[in-house]
Amino acid sequence: MPFEIRQLSWHKRRKPGNEPKPVAVAVPDFKKEANHMCEITVTFDSGEIMQMMGRVLQNPITGAWSVNGLNTTGQSVFARYIDE
């Protein structure tokens, strides 16, 4: 399933650092169902691969689907689902 990663910026809340940036996401159990909990596999530019818990969201205005993931260390990723 194709996803577009949206870069999140926390520079207003935290000091900028050299945090790894996500370059690829995989959501094998993605469903177009609001608030569906799913597993997200994220590959970072450092080569690190992490598992995150995610939640499926739907924009009430545009109807666009996305996944927001977070792990226990506070790293997060936001990816928009691209309809084919």
Side-chain angles (χ1 to χ4, degrees):
M1 291 182 193
F3 286 92
E4 173 190 40
I5 298 172
R6 308 288 302 269
Q7 294 298 329
L8 300 175
S9 175
W10 298 101
H11 73 275
K12 292 181 182 177
R13 296 175 189 88
R14 301 179 189 156
K15 286 185 177 182
N18 286 341
E19 296 178 11
K21 293 185 181 353
V23 292
V25 295
V27 189
D29 55 345
F30 176 80
K31 291 182 188 175
K32 287 184 178 179
E33 179 184 311
N35 296 316
H36 171 70
M37 298 303 286
C38 56
E39 292 265 335
I40 304 172
T41 304
V42 183
T43 304
F44 291 93
D45 59 359
S46 63
E48 186 178 12
I49 298 174
M50 291 191 140
Q51 290 290 115
M52 296 185 177
M53 284 303 298
R55 184 169 66 127
V56 177
L57 307 169
Q58 185 179 27
N59 184 311
I61 298 169
T62 64
W65 293 95
S66 59
V67 177
N68 191 12
L70 183 68
N71 69 7
T72 56
T73 63
Q75 287 179 307
S76 61
V77 66
F78 183 80
R80 186 174 63 91
Y81 177 73
I82 300 171
D83 282 320
E84 296 176 334

